[in-house]
Amino acid sequence: MSNFQDIIISKYNELIRKLSKYNQNLSLVEKAFNFALYYHKDQKRLSGEPYIIHPLEVALILVDYYMDPITISAALLHDVIEDTNLQIDKIYKEFGQEVGFIVDSLTKLQKLSPFLNTVIFSSKNKDLTLINLKRLFISTSKDIRVIIIKLA
């Protein structure tokens, strides 16, 4: 077994151990992990690190703040749509409305980030900047977990 496989297993076991201390329903998180692991299976960062380590680390941050299994599952899935050819409908079908909405919102937020950076830091049109920021906050305010995952 490679060192990275050991790291993935170790982080996953830590996540489940921490989550099981305050929540007995682990099936959604287990399903999300296996789903994300499958879809990220061949993806590596420039460093050579398997991509799944990033969502696992985000989930570990969230479990330390006692977030619910829906939030942790969405964190595990948050880059699957962005980084694979999977469509968001599959997330809604497999994980339900709440997880689907959070993952969908995070994907839209991710797509908006380069645009916002350009507008915020280089735009001379402050009205345009405020309008775009307002849209961003309105879309994410429907579920605060979107912002929480993004910050994690």
Side-chain angles (χ1 to χ4, degrees):
M1 192 178 295
S2 78
N3 187 36
F4 285 132
Q5 288 173 325
D6 292 341
I7 291 169
I8 293 167
I9 291 167
S10 174
K11 287 184 181 295
Y12 175 72
N13 287 338
E14 180 183 359
L15 176 68
I16 294 302
R17 181 180 49 77
K18 287 180 172 185
L19 186 58
S20 65
K21 287 181 180 178
Y22 71 89
N23 189 312
Q24 298 305 311
N25 185 2
L26 305 175
S27 61
L28 183 65
V29 173
E30 291 169 346
K31 181 179 177 182
F33 170 75
N34 288 319
F35 191 92
L37 183 63
Y38 174 79
Y39 281 97
H40 286 304
K41 69 181 174 234
D42 296 324
Q43 294 180 316
K44 303 234 184 291
R45 296 198 172 277
L46 292 176
S47 66
E49 179 180 86
Y51 198 84
I52 190 66
I53 291 175
H54 166 70
L56 266 171
E57 288 178 346
V58 173
L60 280 165
I61 290 168
L62 295 169
V63 80
D64 284 342
Y65 288 101
Y66 304 100
M67 298 305 296
D68 63 295
I70 290 172
T71 307
I72 293 167
S73 297
L76 288 166
L77 298 166
H78 81 271
D79 281 335
V80 171
I81 301 302
E82 183 71 24
D83 297 328
T84 71
N85 60 1
L86 188 72
Q87 299 297 311
I88 190 63
D89 313 11
K90 181 83 170 167
I91 300 292
Y92 278 101
K93 183 179 177 187
E94 293 291 323
F95 296 95
Q97 184 65 31
E98 279 185 280
V99 172
F101 175 80
I102 294 169
V103 172
D104 195 15
S105 296
L106 286 162
T107 301
K108 289 175 182 171
L109 188 60
Q110 183 68 23
K111 288 177 182 176
L112 193 57
S113 290
F115 171 74
L116 284 175
N117 286 338
T118 301
V119 171
I120 292 169
F121 297 115
S122 66
S123 177
K124 293 179 182 173
N125 186 342
K126 293 191 186 314
D127 290 336
L128 181 60
T129 301
L130 292 174
I131 289 168
N132 284 310
L133 286 174
K134 181 179 176 184
R135 286 184 188 148
L136 171 69
F137 290 126
I138 287 171
S139 68
T140 56
S141 69
K142 292 179 183 174
D143 195 324
I144 192 69
R145 294 175 290 190
V146 173
I147 296 291
I148 292 169
I149 293 170
K150 189 66 177 168
L151 291 173

